[in-house]
Amino acid sequence: MDLRGELFCLNGKSKIQIDLITGFLGSGKTTFIKKYAAYFLKQGKKIGILENDFGAVNVDMMLLQDLMSDNCELEMISGGCDEETHRRRFKTKLISMGMCGYDRVIVEPSGVYDIDEFFDVIHDEPLDRWYEPGNIIAIADASAADNLSEKSSYVLASEISCAGKIILSHSDEADEQKIKDTIDYINLSLKDIGCKRQIGMSDIKKGILNLTDEDLKEIAECGYRLNSYQKQDINMQDGKFASLYFMNTGLGSEDVKKAAENIFADKKCGNIIRIKGFFKENDKWYEVNAIKKKTSINEIWEGQDVIIVIGENLNADIVGNYIGKHD
């Protein structure tokens, strides 16, 4: 029996649905996945979550640890490699996950991702016999229009272009006019990349934490939209988008807040998109997640002393002056 037949016998069922959760850096993908995966777990489904990060430390995977159970497993693809190597790793990981009997696989790629890779890999042999595309769900900040460069706007539009549903995160912090401005901005960005799609309120769900089971059922059946657009060569290794890692900083909560405030305020640091990571204070671990308008710090059961600064055209020395030694 070949591998394809063996896999089918192991699953004993039809193709595995695989969902792609896209979203720009700091948009709230991981927060949504926790809610989305919990919805399937309540139904007794077996879920595999595949995390992809270009960094040495996958903070988002740590944040999903509390989902782990007999019915939910976490896997990771390490980044920092060329496109062809990354695609091969993605395919290899999906082959191994296909033998685990999942009902659904949820993929969270990095914040800068070419959606064509998803379809290319899923439609490649032998994965085309095992998996089928389920949903593409895009997470976008409700205030996305406030602080995006031209390249960031391209990434936002390209990831939304094929989404079956768009979740506007942080919508509780944005009034109706701000949300309308964001939708207008997304539609203008879609036009700018030559995509004919224009989104409306029927394409959108507002908020993440307040999503009901009814909302999640609708999202879980949203599918995807195939749309073409003019592609640009953008990735995390092109010198524009980058991540800086600061290990063993020894910072406390007030230090982290102050550092984040200073880094976002100092234009010499670059175009800062997100600051995330963990720190330990008074024998407790905390998670930090900062965007320009807000720094959130929450207690977490386990972590690693690391602060990650993500953005465009970053100046490691200047950023490092606010945090500590750059690794």
Side-chain angles (χ1 to χ4, degrees):
M1 180 182 293
D2 66 15
L3 189 59
R4 288 176 293 221
E6 180 183 354
L7 179 61
F8 183 83
C9 290
L10 284 170
N11 284 341
K13 55 189 174 184
S14 58
K15 292 182 179 180
I16 304 166
Q17 284 216 325
I18 179 168
D19 295 344
L20 181 69
I21 314 300
T22 70
F24 200 61
L25 302 155
S27 60
K29 296 192 300 296
T30 305
T31 302
F32 172 75
I33 286 174
K34 291 180 76 170
K35 188 95 173 178
Y36 189 58
Y39 167 76
F40 291 114
L41 292 173
K42 283 194 298 184
Q43 300 175 24
K45 303 292 187 182
K46 186 172 183 180
I47 304 298
I49 300 175
L50 179 54
E51 282 282 323
N52 173 205
D53 203 337
F54 281 95
V57 180
N58 194 321
V59 171
D60 294 336
M61 189 164 179
M62 290 184 183
L63 297 176
L64 294 171
Q65 292 292 321
D66 57 348
L67 284 173
M68 289 185 67
S69 66
D70 290 343
N71 281 343
C72 184
E73 297 176 354
L74 305 180
E75 296 286 350
M76 186 181 96
I77 306 171
S78 58
C81 53
D82 62 87
E83 181 179 336
E84 200 56 42
T85 301
H86 180 268
R87 184 172 300 188
R88 185 171 65 251
R89 290 179 180 177
F90 184 30
K91 181 176 179 179
T92 301
K93 183 64 72 173
L94 286 178
I95 288 173
S96 64
M97 292 179 73
M99 300 181 185
C100 297
Y102 298 122
D103 296 295
R104 186 175 295 257
V105 169
I106 300 170
V107 176
E108 178 183 4
S110 67
V112 180
Y113 183 73
D114 185 348
I115 291 177
D116 284 349
E117 178 183 321
F118 174 72
F119 287 108
D120 289 347
V121 171
I122 299 305
H123 290 145
D124 197 9
E125 289 188 346
L127 294 180
D128 59 339
R129 302 192 180 208
W130 305 346
Y131 293 94
E132 62 181 2
N135 306 307
I136 295 182
I137 302 163
I139 316 298
D141 193 305
S143 301
D146 288 349
N147 188 40
L148 292 185
S149 68
E150 182 178 345
K151 287 185 179 294
S152 297
S153 296
Y154 165 80
V155 173
L156 174 70
S158 65
E159 294 185 339
I160 283 176
S161 64
C162 296
K165 193 65 74 175
I166 298 133
I167 316 297
L168 289 185
S169 60
H170 311 298
S171 58
D172 57 325
E173 303 165 15
D175 58 25
E176 290 302 316
Q177 184 59 50
K178 176 66 72 176
I179 291 172
K180 181 181 181 302
D181 291 343
T182 296
I183 294 172
D184 290 344
Y185 180 82
I186 289 171
N187 284 330
L188 180 60
S189 298
L190 288 165
K191 284 184 178 180
D192 287 343
I193 66 171
C195 181
K196 294 181 179 180
R197 183 178 188 184
Q198 295 287 276
I199 66 169
M201 289 307 299
S202 62
D203 300 304
I204 286 171
K205 288 290 182 183
K206 292 189 289 185
I208 294 177
L209 297 179
N210 61 343
L211 291 172
T212 65
D213 282 352
E214 185 178 345
D215 292 327
L216 290 163
K217 182 178 186 298
E218 181 182 344
I219 293 167
E221 298 171 353
C222 70
Y224 56 91
R225 302 266 298 273
L226 289 178
N227 288 290
S228 61
Y229 57 90
Q230 298 165 1
K231 297 189 67 173
Q232 299 179 21
D233 184 17
I234 293 181
N235 57 67
M236 289 294 285
Q237 283 80 38
D238 68 359
K240 298 295 183 181
F241 294 99
S243 298
L244 302 177
Y245 287 74
F246 300 86
M247 310 293 293
N248 303 316
T249 66
L251 298 178
S253 57
E254 292 304 315
D255 300 322
V256 169
K257 290 178 184 177
K258 187 64 175 177
E261 179 183 341
N262 289 334
I263 290 168
F264 278 110
D266 190 346
K267 295 186 182 300
K268 294 179 182 178
C269 290
N271 181 30
I272 309 300
I273 297 170
R274 184 186 182 191
I275 300 171
K276 63 181 182 178
F278 304 101
F279 63 91
K280 196 172 189 179
E281 186 175 54
N282 298 324
D283 293 323
K284 295 181 179 179
W285 282 105
Y286 294 88
E287 168 218 350
V288 58
N289 191 359
I291 53 179
K292 188 173 184 179
K293 61 187 177 184
K294 182 179 180 181
T295 297
S296 298
I297 293 177
N298 298 296
E299 188 175 343
I300 192 169
W301 70 283
E302 185 178 4
Q304 180 175 352
D305 192 344
V306 57
I307 301 295
I308 306 170
V309 180
I310 304 167
E312 299 173 77
N313 301 309
L314 299 181
N315 187 313
D317 292 333
I318 296 176
V319 173
N321 287 337
Y322 292 117
I323 295 182
K325 184 179 177 182
H326 170 234
D327 291 327

